[in-house]
Amino acid sequence: MGKARQTRKFAQVKRVISEKDARFKAKEKEKTVAKVDPKKADIKELPKTSSALFFNYNTQLGPPYHVLIDTNFINFSIKNKLDVIQSMMDCMYAKCIPYITDCVMAELEKLGQTYRIALRIARDPRFERLPCLHKGTYADDCLVQRVNQHKCYIVATCDKDLRRRIRKIVGVPIMSVANHRYTIERMPDAYGAPKT
């Protein structure tokens, strides 16, 4: 007798676990739900709140008010024929000391002859000068930095972008020109300011 013939078995494949099997899903869940180590947790550092603030009320603000003036505030005051110091006193019902930084003066000087009246007003001896120690002459960054350091200032500006940046800083009032007079926002004690 000869050898017995072995027949081939067609379409027979090794059995494999499918990818949709529940056992795979359980292992994936274990990997994703790993325990978070308290040492490796994300540590968020928040800026320290100023000691001058009582909630959102700034206790450092009081007469005489210190007002930081921006370039376009002087220009708008000229267009509306407002005397800067007198109009500030009418708005606040108290003495106001206007401050001008070196950056604002540099911006006014760069504007040239068309804004020479604004430059003459800024050089008034009643305006206090604040020296700047940083590089560049971009006045908006200078004012925001100064207000972040010392919360004793009111910022006088008509620039929308600068007002938006200062609104993010808690406890800093913003003075602007509206309806041919000065208005102030975020200042609870401003009795002379018109309601906007």
Side-chain angles (χ1 to χ4, degrees):
M1 293 209 116
K3 266 184 171 179
R5 274 192 177 183
Q6 287 184 343
T7 57
R8 273 184 160 182
K9 296 179 181 174
F10 292 101
Q12 192 173 21
V13 184
K14 271 190 173 177
R15 292 190 178 181
V16 181
I17 300 173
S18 73
E19 294 176 10
K20 296 177 183 176
D21 197 291
R23 291 174 279 188
F24 281 129
K25 291 180 181 176
K27 288 180 183 176
E28 287 177 13
K29 284 182 184 176
E30 288 175 13
K31 289 179 184 176
T32 56
V33 186
K35 293 181 180 177
V36 179
D37 294 334
K39 295 176 184 175
K40 293 182 180 178
D42 292 338
I43 299 171
K44 294 181 181 177
E45 292 189 23
L46 298 172
K48 291 183 178 179
T49 55
S50 174
S51 61
L53 296 176
F54 179 74
F55 296 110
N56 285 347
Y57 182 76
N58 193 349
T59 56
Q60 278 188 346
L61 292 173
Y65 293 106
H66 305 286
V67 184
L68 273 176
I69 296 179
D70 191 26
T71 310
N72 55 15
F73 186 79
I74 298 172
N75 296 334
F76 273 82
S77 298
I78 293 167
K79 284 179 186 174
N80 288 302
K81 298 178 182 176
L82 295 169
D83 178 32
V84 177
I85 295 175
Q86 188 60 44
S87 298
M88 280 182 189
M89 289 185 186
D90 292 342
C91 178
M92 301 298 294
Y93 286 153
K95 184 179 179 186
C96 296
I97 303 168
Y99 287 90
I100 289 191
T101 62
D102 289 342
C103 295
V104 173
M105 286 298 285
E107 258 188 23
L108 282 169
E109 288 167 1
K110 280 181 190 174
L111 290 173
Q113 285 295 318
T114 53
Y115 295 97
R116 64 182 178 274
I117 299 169
L119 188 60
R120 188 178 292 164
I121 289 172
R123 287 186 176 145
D124 189 335
R126 296 178 292 177
F127 285 45
E128 296 285 328
R129 286 290 297 271
L130 294 173
C132 295
L133 303 173
H134 57 83
K135 292 180 181 177
T137 58
Y138 188 56
D140 291 2
D141 289 341
C142 176
L143 294 175
V144 170
Q145 178 188 0
R146 196 171 287 275
V147 165
N148 269 327
Q149 288 175 348
H150 311 288
K151 299 242 191 289
C152 63
Y153 295 112
I154 297 169
V155 179
T157 183
C158 296
D159 186 11
K160 286 184 180 179
D161 294 331
L162 181 59
R163 284 160 76 182
R164 192 176 298 126
R165 285 174 68 181
I166 290 174
R167 280 187 192 115
K168 293 176 185 173
I169 303 168
V170 181
V172 179
I174 303 166
M175 187 180 282
S176 60
V177 180
N179 299 330
H180 302 288
R181 58 190 295 191
Y182 290 169
T183 60
I184 193 158
E185 53 182 87
R186 297 166 59 184
M187 181 82 175
D189 298 336
Y191 303 114
K195 303 295 182 236
T196 54

